[in-house]
Amino acid sequence: MRIALLARAHAGALVVLFVLTALACLLVSGLPRATQAAFDRALQRALISAPAVRTDLTVAGESRSPREDLHEPAAFAERERRWRALLPATLRPLVAPAGHMSAKTSLTPVTGTGGHTYINLGWLSDADRRVDWVAGRAPGAPSTTRFQGQRIPLFEVGVVEEALDQMNLRLGDTRTLGESDFAAVRIVGVFRAKDPADRYWTHNTDILHVTKLQPPGKLDFEFHTTTLIPDAALAALSGESRNLTYRWVLPLNGQAASALAVPGIGAGVAELERVLTLQATASTPYRLETGLPKVLGDFTAGLATAQTVMYLLLAGLLAVALGVIVLGVRLLTDRLDQTLALARARGGSLRQVAGTGAALTAAAVVPAALAGYALAFLVPGPVLPLAHLGPAFVLVAGVGFGAARVALAHRTPLHERRDDVAAARPSARRITVEALVVVLALTGAYLLRARGLSAQAGLDPFLLLVPIALTLAAALVTVRCYPYPLRLLVRLAARGRGAVPFLGLTRAARARAAGGLPVLILLPALAVSVFAAVISDGITGTQRLASWQQVGAPIKVTSTIEIPAATIDRIRATPGVEQVVTAQTARVQLGYSSERAEAIAVDVAQWRRLLAGAPIGLPELPGGPSALVSPELRDRGTLDIGWQSRIKAKVAGAIDAVPGFYRTGKFVVLPQDVLTRPAVNTLLIKGDVAPGEVARLVPSATVESQEGALAAIQGDPLTGAVRTTLVVVTVALALYALVAVILSLVVGAADRARAVAFLRTLGLSDRQAQRLTMLEVLPMVLVTALVGFGLGLALPAALGPGVDLSAYAGDLPVGGYSPDLLTPGALAAGLALVAVLGAYAHTALDRRRDLGGALRAGDLS
């Protein structure tokens, strides 16, 4: 047959098919690329925002013999080149070329302090680029001094400013270190970090800050600081008499990481650990220090849920898109029906007829698939196998259905069918298969809730199959069952005087061939879009709750020192400030033992008023010396608390968390008036005031806001990717659902027009024709909308523990969905409206047709 002539004759159907196919290929090829790019950004942000000490690869080794001591920077550089040569191939692109090295002693006590003060020696390969000397001078070469009648090494050192006050050190002091193998240090300089916020310092917090420790079972604290020594001091530093550790830091370049490479990165870290153990000598073992596996594990846990949700949505989108394409192919093949039947009657073979249907379908599908596939390359992101397989699957499915439908319709010449006379009876085999699908779907949903996710890492296929099976089962049940209530309505309509209700409902109940396919398209479209809307609303609500729990107030000000009363008065007088609640936080002693707890003294009644309208709250606290405590302290009865003075507080109740302060461990909430003299170090502020303005008034404090916390949660790339995909898929499915309704009207237009033409010869008016068309179309749309709506609301509960969305909601579990019914209701109403408008448009077009042209001569006999 002449394909070009047929294409010109059916150009409208081909254009519709072209648009549907191109859009489907663009979505199934472009969305995976976009989501994978979002996954990569999320991983890069996780690696960059984590402390460098957790993500960098640090090779550490203890020197236990003079033979293993490294006395010059060149020896450290030579070892670094060795470690870089041992890096597995998966880690080499991620390791930055510029690292640093260090040599530090640990647990070096100051002689005569009873183990309460420790001054360690530390060498950094790039100290000259990292610190500024604010007092004294940089340390010089070591020398010797006499102590207890023997010569001991004397190191010139520099200390951080913080150590001067907390450890009672002074510039020029000389302190003796050790209990048996002695050394001395002379403080010749005081330094300050050039950029204290640099991630570099997470490797060297012992140098930048004084460490204050309370040993178990003791009331006194230990103070530790690590001083800086110069390159020349390495010659006198030995592991024979000190706890000496060498470290080589290989910094990780987070910007070069890819989510697809996470399994390889984890395997590379394990391989590097194994190789380093083989480099150990008899006196110096080497090990790998990194928290990278933990960071990758946390990211993978959130990624698995994101992949599950996205692939579930993409699977539903692909199924609906294919269904709409099938409707478009059906529209095309229905219009070819008379032409192909005539060709078959004139001796055309089944292969020729089927080839014609496939070729004409391919004339629209092939260029559309290529166009959609090409447009997908405009979407930034890595090219996944799914980006290639999706368009290919759409192309094969479209052309294959076109050939199969034509072959089945014309397998015998002049094979007339009258589906409108009586509903076809399904075979026993088909009923058995459909019943099996329903049973398996329900069983799968039960098992998913019972067992949860697979313990193995990665995407759980069971979690993808169960929602698809539930959707398919609901569609099959709807297709099979919705004619039965219509038949009851037909019987009631038969008793009435009007013929239009009886005829319209009868055609709706019998139009199985025309009504079944739209149901299979509309139901998953509605179910997945409602599911996406419910999940999106659940995430949004939980994100807001998490932001309030993180901050505990619209604005929270915390300070390490007391906030002066004059500053508090200025904040109260700031325009926009409505309420200020003062509080004091501290770590307090419980009883007379070493047991400690976190405590906050606050006016709970004022705090409750400040939280009015927020999704969080606090229980009332009775007056007098009473306390709200953590669950671990609920059975104490009365607490003896050592704070400014000894306080005896009766336990008034237990709370799981104190919003903005404590979520785990032991904690106590006390009335502020139980303190002898409240030293306010925390402010809770309500009002329309910028956090920056508050920070200006209290420069020594940290200012947090609920809006800022919410923006940080929502700004996570992984969270943004999930929400964007939910929105895109919801909109796409809504459009596909509307297109499905329109196509279902067009597909049955010829048969409907013929029926209306018959009835017009019997006196059917235009208004009655419109009612007839609406009664034929609306039942399918309304029943499918209700079932899809219910299934979409039930899917989050059906999936249960299978979808953990806490990673996108501030680590709070997303549950107890209370969906906003506006979006689903608008979608269902839109479908009904399109069906009504389509019915009116259909009858309006039918009025222009000549009855003689709509009726064949054989139909009147």
Side-chain angles (χ1 to χ4, degrees), residues 523 526-527 530-531 784-794 820-821 823-825 828:
L523 195 142
L526 286 168
V530 172
F531 169 75
T784 306
L786 290 175
V787 175
F789 182 80
L791 180 61
L793 295 180
D820 181 5
L821 302 183
T823 300

Side-chain angles (χ1 to χ4, degrees), residues 627-648:
L628 299 173
V629 300
S630 61
E632 299 177 43
L633 304 175
R634 71 168 70 236
D635 299 326
R636 297 292 179 93
T638 300
L639 292 176
D640 191 322
I641 301 172
W643 199 340
Q644 296 176 348
S645 61
R646 304 305 303 185
I647 302 171
K648 289 188 179 293

Side-chain angles (χ1 to χ4, degrees), residues 473 529 768:
S529 60
Q768 288 175 324

Side-chain angles (χ1 to χ4, degrees), residues 826-844:
L827 182 56
L831 293 178
L833 179 61
V834 168
V836 172
L837 294 177
Y840 275 92
H842 174 72
T843 52

Side-chain angles (χ1 to χ4, degrees), residues 437-604:
V437 170
V438 174
V439 172
L440 290 177
L442 295 177
T443 304
Y446 171 77
L447 291 177
L448 180 61
R449 290 191 59 84
R451 78 170 178 89
L453 280 175
S454 171
Q456 299 178 352
L459 190 64
D460 188 354
F462 197 65
L463 188 58
L464 291 179
L465 295 176
V466 169
I468 294 174
L470 285 173
T471 304
L472 180 59
L476 292 175
V477 171
T478 304
V479 169
R480 290 295 170 209
C481 295
Y482 91 89
Y484 295 106
L486 290 181
R487 290 175 184 176
L488 295 178
L489 294 177
V490 168
R491 292 186 179 181
L492 294 177
R495 299 179 181 179
R497 300 182 61 183
V500 172
F502 173 76
L503 293 174
L505 295 174
T506 299
R507 287 183 56 81
R510 289 181 176 179
R512 296 294 298 279
L517 187 57
V519 170
L520 293 174
I521 299 170
L522 285 176
L523 195 142
L526 286 168
V528 176
S529 60
V530 172
F531 169 75
V534 171
I535 291 294
S536 181
D537 289 340
I539 292 176
T540 301
T542 309
Q543 286 175 339
R544 181 171 179 268
L545 174 62
S547 66
W548 277 98
Q549 289 195 355
Q550 287 181 11
V551 181
I555 298 176
K556 181 178 69 174
V557 179
T558 55
S559 175
T560 56
I561 59 176
E562 182 178 357
I563 302 175
T567 300
I568 299 175
D569 291 338
R570 284 198 298 270
I571 293 176
R572 284 196 171 100
T574 301
V577 174
E578 301 176 13
Q579 184 180 357
V580 177
V581 178
T582 59
Q584 182 179 353
T585 61
R587 186 169 177 82
V588 299
Q589 181 185 20
L590 297 181
Y592 291 90
S593 66
S594 61
E595 185 181 14
R596 302 278 174 164
E598 302 294 336
I600 178 172
V602 63
D603 188 330
V604 175

Side-chain angles (χ1 to χ4, degrees), residues 783-822:
V783 171
T784 306
L786 290 175
V787 175
F789 182 80
L791 180 61
L793 295 180
L795 274 178
L799 298 180
V803 178
D804 179 15
L805 300 171
S806 60
Y808 320 117
D811 294 328
L812 289 184
V814 180
Y817 298 98
S818 53
D820 181 5
L821 302 183
L822 177 62

Side-chain angles (χ1 to χ4, degrees), residues 103-358:
K104 298 178 185 177
T105 65
S106 59
L107 298 176
T108 309
V110 176
T111 306
T113 61
H116 289 96
T117 304
Y118 294 83
I119 297 179
N120 300 307
L121 304 176
W123 170 80
L124 297 179
S125 61
D126 54 354
D128 56 336
R129 296 188 295 106
R130 299 292 182 177
V131 302
D132 290 323
W133 297 97
V134 296
R137 60 176 175 83
S143 59
T144 60
T145 187
R146 296 191 64 84
F147 179 75
Q148 295 183 355
Q150 59 180 336
R151 304 296 297 183
I152 62 173
L154 173 63
F155 293 91
E156 289 190 355
V157 300
V159 298
V160 70
E161 287 180 300
E162 186 178 297
L164 298 179
D165 296 330
Q166 296 193 23
M167 300 182 64
N168 194 28
L169 300 177
R170 295 291 180 269
L171 192 64
D173 283 356
T174 299
R175 301 293 175 96
T176 304
L177 309 180
E179 300 295 345
S180 57
D181 294 317
F182 299 104
V185 295
R186 178 177 297 154
I187 301 174
V188 299
V190 180
F191 65 85
R192 178 189 302 162
K194 290 185 177 181
D195 183 7
D198 194 327
R199 298 174 71 245
Y200 166 93
W201 287 109
T202 62
H203 288 283
N204 303 291
T205 54
D206 57 330
I207 291 179
L208 199 60
H209 298 287
V210 174
T211 304
K212 183 179 178 183
L213 301 176
Q214 184 180 26
K218 296 184 179 180
L219 296 178
D220 296 329
F221 287 91
E222 296 177 355
F223 293 87
H224 299 249
T225 188
T226 300
T227 60
L228 278 180
I229 61 175
D231 295 350
L234 288 175
L237 192 63
S238 174
E240 184 179 19
S241 57
R242 301 280 177 260
N243 297 318
L244 179 60
T245 302
Y246 300 138
R247 287 183 174 84
W248 293 263
V249 177
L250 307 178
L252 197 75
N253 180 14
Q255 293 288 356
S258 168
L260 293 174
V262 166
I265 297 173
V269 172
E271 175 64 15
L272 182 59
E273 287 180 327
R274 185 189 69 81
V275 171
L276 286 176
T277 58
L278 301 178
Q279 303 296 313
T281 63
S283 57
T284 305
Y286 291 103
R287 66 183 183 276
L288 180 65
E289 296 178 346
T290 182
L292 184 58
K294 178 64 168 58
V295 176
L296 295 179
D298 294 342
F299 171 77
T300 303
L303 178 65
T305 302
Q307 288 178 326
T308 298
V309 173
M310 290 184 177
Y311 284 124
L312 176 61
L313 295 175
L314 290 176
L317 179 61
L318 177 60
V320 172
L322 285 177
V324 175
I325 291 174
V326 166
L327 266 180
V329 174
R330 179 175 175 174
L331 172 64
L332 176 62
T333 54
D334 283 353
R335 296 192 173 188
L336 290 173
D337 188 67
Q338 292 184 2
T339 303
L340 297 179
L342 181 60
R344 191 81 168 96
R346 290 178 175 178
S349 67
L350 184 60
R351 178 181 300 179
Q352 290 176 322
V353 172
T356 300

